[in-house]
Amino acid sequence: MQITPAHPPAPRRCSPAPLTPDVESFYHLPHGEHTGQACQGTACFAAKHLNPARWAEAAAQNPRVYCLGECFAAPAKGQTRPRPPVKVFSSHGIVLGRIAAGGARSLAAAQKMGGYAALAQALTQSPEQLLAAVETSGLRGRGGAGFPTGRKWRAVAAQPAGTKYVVANADEGDAGAYIDRYIMEDDPHALIEGMILAAYAVGATQGYIYVRIEYPQAVSVLQAALLEARAAGWLGARIGGKDFTFNLEVYVGHGSYVCGEETSLLRSIEGQRPEVMARPPYPTERGLFGRPTLLNNVETLVSVPWIVTHGGAAYAALGFSKSRGTKALSLNSLFNRPGLYEVEFGVTVRHIVEVIGGGLRGGGKLKGVIIGGPIIGLIPPHLLDTPLGFEELAAIGAGVGHGGVVAFDEHTSIPALVEHVFAFGAYESCGKCTPCRSGSGRVEAIFTAAIAGTASRADLQECRDLVTALKLTSLCGHGTGLARFAESILRYYPTEIEPCFK
Ligand SMILES: Cc1cc2nc3c(=O)[nH]c(=O)nc-3n(C[C@H](O)[C@H](O)[C@H](O)COP(=O)(O)O)c2cc1C
């Protein structure tokens, strides 16, 4: 399938296609060349004993593919098109409700299930009322950082009038996460409606959905849905008969994990070499093409229509502590019941593992679980009673992250997991910060030696120093996340690590 990236509107500072050689050398996957590849992501690593031949194929592949969003069937091979079970375990299916009910790929199906009702309602009100509802809801970003969504929207709305952008982050590169993928494939109008609402609230006229190239079905479903939304008058000029214009396009990524980081993503759309940028200025002030930009994760945006129709207070009544509302989780193939589930914040990790996931297949013994990608802390079995919440998980060195739940059983060697995660970190580093560019590869090499029995205590100390450097000097969460992962291992699994260093 030939996928052509969307072109930016005026100001057309550069053309994203074709990429200049300098920019193209940044990326791993040329357009359209990933289908049928075996996946080397962390969920596939966790499940490699289930199909060693497939894992060997993945490990030998170049360019590497670090997640295809099929972690429920891991170890996976590209786009085999099984679909995960989907279930809502909350009193309200805010994010997955329509998907659990069979999906709503067409506009007609979406409208039958309440689609665009929130937008019609919001257009009878002022942007200020919409902003206030999102602020009241307590919604926080689902892309990993958990930043208050209302505060971000308010910051873009407060910028002087002029060209503003809304960008949906649909890069979903965290190995183990396949939430955004199935939202886009099975309920694309929910994302489109969420983005139009965001544009109305902040005064944006143009939007982009940055979809990773590893999700070709999501791209084609979204493109068809955009045509339908435009034909129905939900996109374009004078939406709902108001003085409100908003256009929306899909932009297809080029296979780089770090392009999920917001500054890198925006540079990628601009056709520039997408190295991470120092902040401030934040994208809310100087984002895409130098203009104020609201960038949100897919699940964040998809939560907004429900907030509009039910009110911010109803949303804030769900969840617990400072984590309000619901969270979609995707469980990997080591569970008895892998799948896509929506829960209220506050359930314990134990509940997710033992009740929702049904424990590990084959009676496997849990060695640890990661929620939200490999660059976050590993949760050991003795901390399973920690509740799902941003602050609560951060307090044990873990995080909500993207919500991809990857369990590891007794087949996983912890030193091999460290080697795997740092290999991923080194491969996907944008190269801007030295500890991430060089240090992550060095930690990988030290652990390769440790597994072979040739590493010393001095090597372990070097790893500790590199982790400190990653933590203190990285410009983005790629480097600090690698440090967080390593710290959790050194803290919770010393008996598996220290004997490997003589
Ligand atoms: C290395 C790296 C990768 C990231 N990947 C994603 C991603 O795939 N999807 C996403 O929504 N956010 C990702 N983020 C977080 C974004 O930078 C940003 O915080 C988020 O998209 C903001 O949206 P939210 O406020 O709705 O969460 C990533 C961050 C880092 C450091």
Side-chain angles (χ1 to χ4, degrees):
M1 176 186 174
Q2 187 62 38
I3 299 169
T4 312
H7 287 261
R12 197 178 288 245
R13 298 249 298 264
C14 55
S15 169
L19 301 174
T20 64
D22 175 51
V23 174
E24 193 160 23
S25 67
F26 182 92
Y27 295 106
H28 304 304
L29 283 182
H31 271 217
E33 290 188 11
H34 60 289
T35 305
Q37 287 195 312
C39 180
Q40 207 177 340
T42 306
C44 292
F45 172 86
K48 59 187 168 50
H49 56 282
L50 301 180
N51 189 340
R54 176 164 293 173
W55 177 257
E57 183 186 342
Q61 221 162 242
N62 200 16
R64 299 180 201 169
V65 174
Y66 268 113
C67 190
L68 292 166
E70 296 184 5
C71 322
F72 53 93
K77 187 148 175 169
Q79 308 296 329
T80 44
R81 301 216 36 83
R83 302 198 82 70
V86 182
K87 202 164 171 185
V88 174
F89 286 96
S90 152
S91 46
H92 299 280
I94 296 170
V95 176
L96 300 179
R98 298 210 291 244
I99 303 175
R105 283 193 169 199
S106 69
L107 180 73
Q111 282 180 327
K112 211 184 263 177
M113 294 170 145
Y116 294 98
L119 180 57
Q121 181 183 326
L123 291 174
T124 66
Q125 300 166 351
S126 66
E128 175 55 39
Q129 281 170 290
L130 178 48
L131 281 172
V134 174
E135 282 171 335
T136 305
S137 72
L139 176 66
R140 293 169 68 176
R142 304 301 195 233
F147 189 82
T149 306
R151 207 190 304 164
K152 196 188 273 188
W153 286 32
R154 177 72 68 188
V156 180
Q159 294 295 319
T163 305
K164 294 181 189 177
Y165 296 101
V166 171
V167 175
N169 189 341
D171 202 46
E172 196 171 52
D174 275 347
Y178 51 89
I179 299 158
D180 299 346
R181 172 179 173 178
Y182 286 99
I183 292 174
M184 291 187 284
E185 290 190 14
D186 290 347
D187 197 6
H189 288 282
L191 173 58
I192 295 170
E193 185 179 7
M195 291 187 76
I196 303 170
L197 285 165
Y200 182 64
V202 305
T205 51
Q206 175 68 40
Y208 291 100
I209 308 173
Y210 188 98
V211 188
R212 62 200 303 253
I213 191 171
E214 291 86 347
Y215 289 178
Q217 283 91 358
V219 171
S220 46
V221 170
L222 278 170
Q223 277 167 338
L226 286 175
L227 289 176
E228 283 186 307
R230 181 175 299 278
W234 293 123
L235 289 171
R238 296 202 57 78
I239 298 170
K242 298 199 74 139
D243 183 20
F244 169 42
T245 297
F246 184 60
N247 290 298
L248 188 51
E249 293 172 50
V250 171
Y251 186 90
V252 183
H254 309 264
S256 160
Y257 170 76
V258 91
C259 282
E261 191 280 336
E262 58 184 15
T263 61
S264 173
L265 185 153
L266 297 176
R267 299 294 85 78
S268 178
I269 296 180
E270 290 173 350
Q272 298 191 46
R273 199 171 163 84
E275 285 174 358
V276 165
M277 308 267 289
R279 289 158 294 180
Y282 291 94
T284 48
E285 304 148 45
R286 267 185 70 80
L288 191 60
F289 304 110
R291 301 298 308 166
T293 301
L294 176 67
L295 185 140
N296 274 129
N297 166 259
V298 169
E299 188 185 338
T300 313
L301 291 160
V302 164
S303 303
V304 174
W306 193 95
I307 292 170
V308 171
T309 49
H310 294 75
Y315 190 87
L318 303 172
F320 95 130
S321 179
K322 291 184 184 159
S323 306
R324 313 310 313 180
T326 64
K327 179 76 194 85
L329 302 170
S330 54
L331 272 56
N332 73 331
S333 62
L334 284 202
F335 287 100
N336 276 317
R337 287 194 286 276
L340 198 48
Y341 305 116
E342 182 168 355
V343 300
E344 272 184 48
F345 279 106
V347 299
T348 62
V349 179
R350 183 181 304 285
H351 185 83
I352 295 165
V353 169
E354 295 177 2
V355 179
I356 295 178
L360 299 195
R361 57 192 282 167
K365 197 164 172 291
L366 186 79
K367 196 168 245 191
V369 60
I370 284 179
I371 304 181
I375 53 168
I376 222 160
L378 183 62
I379 304 170
H382 73 271
L383 292 176
L384 282 192
D385 292 317
T386 310
L388 182 74
F390 290 104
E391 282 69 27
E392 292 74 11
L393 285 172
I396 61 160
V400 173
H402 213 97
V405 182
V406 178
F408 301 90
D409 66 14
E410 68 272 23
H411 290 94
T412 292
S413 132
I414 295 293
L417 175 62
V418 178
E419 182 194 34
H420 159 80
V421 168
F422 274 84
F424 163 77
Y427 190 73
E428 296 292 359
S429 171
C430 82
K432 184 134 175 181
C433 310
T434 308
C436 183
R437 182 181 64 242
S438 306
S440 51
R442 177 71 188 136
V443 175
E444 176 198 354
I446 291 175
F447 270 83
T448 305
I451 293 163
T454 58
S456 67
R457 302 296 296 177
D459 291 328
L460 181 57
Q461 186 53 45
E462 187 184 344
C463 282
R464 290 185 195 277
D465 294 344
L466 287 167
V467 167
T468 304
L470 275 169
K471 189 174 162 179
L472 296 180
T473 65
S474 298
L475 273 181
C476 88
H478 190 59
T480 56
L482 285 168
R484 206 153 34 142
F485 167 79
E487 283 179 342
S488 75
I489 296 289
L490 294 168
R491 183 169 165 198
Y492 298 130
Y493 298 88
T495 56
E496 301 223 22
I497 296 296
E498 287 178 10
C500 301
F501 294 87
K502 304 286 181 287

